[in-house]
Amino acid sequence: MRTSPLRILSAVFCLTAVLLFQACSHHVPIKPETPFICYRAAVQNGDALERLAPVFQAWGADKAHNRIGRPKSFLDANKKPQVYTDSGEPVFFVRQTQFSTSKGDYTNLVYRIHFSKIPYSLIPFTLTAGKNAGLLVVITLNQEERPVLVTTVHTCGCYLSIIPTTHLPKECLPEGWEDAPQRVYGETHPALLHYSPDQGQRLLIELRPEIHRVMNVRAVNERELDACNDSLEEAPIIAADSLRELEIAGGGSVSFFHESGVRKGFVKNSVKPWESLLMSWMALDLFVGSDKAYSDSMVKDNPFYTSLKPWNRQKSNMLRFPDFLRFWGYDL
């Protein structure tokens, strides 16, 4: 008995839907005894990028791939430069940018971290498995240098979360906004942050083991951070532009990103095979899920889009931050 192509396609579609739902929306609770490391910016000059740097609580720190690392390079057997992320050396890559709207001038403090990999797994299914995975945290300050938004997103543009603070005027919130916890593909984030750095508060960002998803974002005081004291590591702050000049042992440098061709702006060795196989048709992007640079709009052929709908590619592009905010309903 022959099986019709339509039935085969239907079966493939159903299997894909089940895998995507399981991968994005179902997470096992973290056991209290799970080891963790809290990463905090090293004290250097006390500027805003340092003072407002979030503390990352990385769960599952007994495994190297769950620890924040530092992108590095080496020459392979054929003398070709290769890049990887060293899990033994945590680093925060930072960038400060400005933008203006009709309502005022704003500053973005951008923090970028990377991990050596997201390991492959079928049960539970890990959709985002691959190397050199990264995460961005963007703190948006108003003219009074108060934080009004906290944005978290993977460096592929996935799993976006925009959290307003109590310093953001209500008229700037999206239409229909509700003060209820946000559901971000299986994770729960706050609807609103009571976050005041001038009163000694810091952002604490909890990271799920294996997949490095943001589990929660909290504003905490120094006393609440005491739980991290026995597992605290300091990470130096380094300019994000240095990712384009990774030193090679023996001399020279190489970029962490492809600098030309169809993959311009993508992190090298960051293809996510499962995402490409199962989701490229949805986004009309063969490299969906691959990590990207977040620098400026010069990377024109690969925008940092945050919506999978192809017709929203430019509107949801985080490199054009005011347009990006308007697309997601914020009126700053």
Side-chain angles (χ1 to χ4, degrees):
M1 182 178 177
R2 296 180 62 185
T3 303
S4 69
L6 182 59
R7 286 189 176 184
I8 294 175
L9 287 174
S10 298
V12 170
F13 179 82
C14 290
L15 176 61
T16 299
V18 169
L19 288 174
L20 291 179
F21 177 80
Q22 188 271 339
C24 295
S25 302
H26 176 70
H27 302 306
V28 177
I30 303 296
K31 296 179 180 179
E33 64 270 20
T34 303
F36 62 82
I37 292 177
C38 288
Y39 295 95
R40 189 172 189 168
V43 177
Q44 295 172 325
N45 53 30
D47 63 10
L49 276 166
E50 181 182 303
R51 287 185 287 103
L52 275 72
V55 176
F56 294 94
Q57 186 175 16
W59 289 90
D62 53 323
K63 298 178 181 178
H65 59 257
N66 289 327
R67 297 196 288 268
I68 295 174
R70 179 171 186 164
K72 293 184 177 182
S73 62
F74 69 98
L75 294 179
D76 63 18
N78 297 317
K79 303 299 182 181
K80 293 184 62 176
Q82 303 292 336
V83 301
Y84 70 105
T85 301
D86 181 356
S87 300
E89 191 175 343
V91 166
F92 294 176
F93 293 95
V94 298
R95 180 182 301 278
Q96 182 170 319
T97 62
Q98 282 76 37
F99 67 94
S100 299
T101 70
S102 60
K103 294 188 175 181
D105 300 322
Y106 299 89
T107 299
N108 275 345
L109 306 181
V110 184
Y111 302 88
R112 181 178 186 130
I113 58 174
H114 273 274
F115 300 87
S116 60
K117 66 178 180 178
I118 296 175
Y120 288 88
S121 172
L122 289 177
I123 303 175
F125 178 60
T126 305
L127 175 68
T128 55
K131 296 179 180 179
N132 294 326
L135 178 74
L136 288 178
V137 176
V138 181
I139 301 173
T140 302
L141 308 179
N142 62 15
Q143 292 178 183
E144 289 74 39
E145 297 189 346
R146 294 191 177 96
V148 293
L149 292 174
V150 175
T151 302
T152 67
V153 64
H154 286 231
T155 50
C156 56
C158 315
Y159 305 121
L160 171 72
S161 174
I162 304 173
I163 308 174
T165 78
T166 50
H167 300 295
L168 184 71
K170 290 184 178 180
E171 61 267 23
C172 297
L173 292 167
E175 185 176 350
W177 180 88
E178 296 182 358
D179 190 2
Q182 298 186 51
R183 296 290 291 171
V184 185
Y185 296 97
E187 304 292 1
T188 302
H189 294 185
L192 188 69
L193 276 172
H194 296 262
Y195 174 38
S196 297
D198 57 342
Q199 296 179 15
Q201 288 186 315
R202 299 290 295 267
L203 279 181
L204 180 66
I205 298 179
E206 293 186 68
L207 302 178
R208 185 172 294 280
E210 312 305 318
I211 56 176
H212 317 317
R213 290 280 307 278
V214 174
M215 295 168 53
N216 195 11
V217 179
R218 293 186 288 141
V220 299
N221 56 39
E222 291 294 334
R223 183 177 300 174
E224 292 174 281
L225 284 177
D226 286 347
C228 291
N229 281 347
D230 294 334
S231 56
L232 183 66
E233 284 196 23
E234 290 196 337
I237 283 181
I238 297 178
D241 286 343
S242 66
L243 284 167
R244 297 189 182 274
E245 296 182 345
L246 302 180
E247 293 183 3
I248 303 174
S253 65
V254 65
S255 178
F256 194 47
F257 311 106
H258 292 279
E259 297 292 353
S260 61
V262 296
R263 303 207 62 206
K264 181 180 178 183
F266 282 101
V267 173
K268 294 174 181 176
N269 300 331
S270 72
V271 171
K272 307 298 189 294
W274 283 121
E275 287 193 82
S276 293
L277 179 65
L278 298 176
M279 298 185 66
S280 58
W281 61 272
M282 187 186 307
L284 297 184
D285 181 0
L286 182 61
F287 303 114
V288 64
S290 295
D291 298 87
K292 302 174 184 177
Y294 186 79
S295 52
D296 53 45
S297 56
M298 294 303 292
V299 186
K300 295 177 181 178
D301 43 359
N302 288 302
F304 200 99
Y305 64 85
T306 53
S307 169
L308 283 174
K309 297 175 181 177
W311 52 89
N312 290 332
R313 189 154 297 173
Q314 291 299 335
K315 293 178 182 177
S316 69
N317 182 3
M318 272 187 70
L319 296 176
R320 301 173 178 176
F321 209 79
D323 295 338
F324 155 81
L325 290 178
R326 280 192 293 270
F327 174 78
W328 291 109
Y330 286 87
D331 184 20
L332 265 67

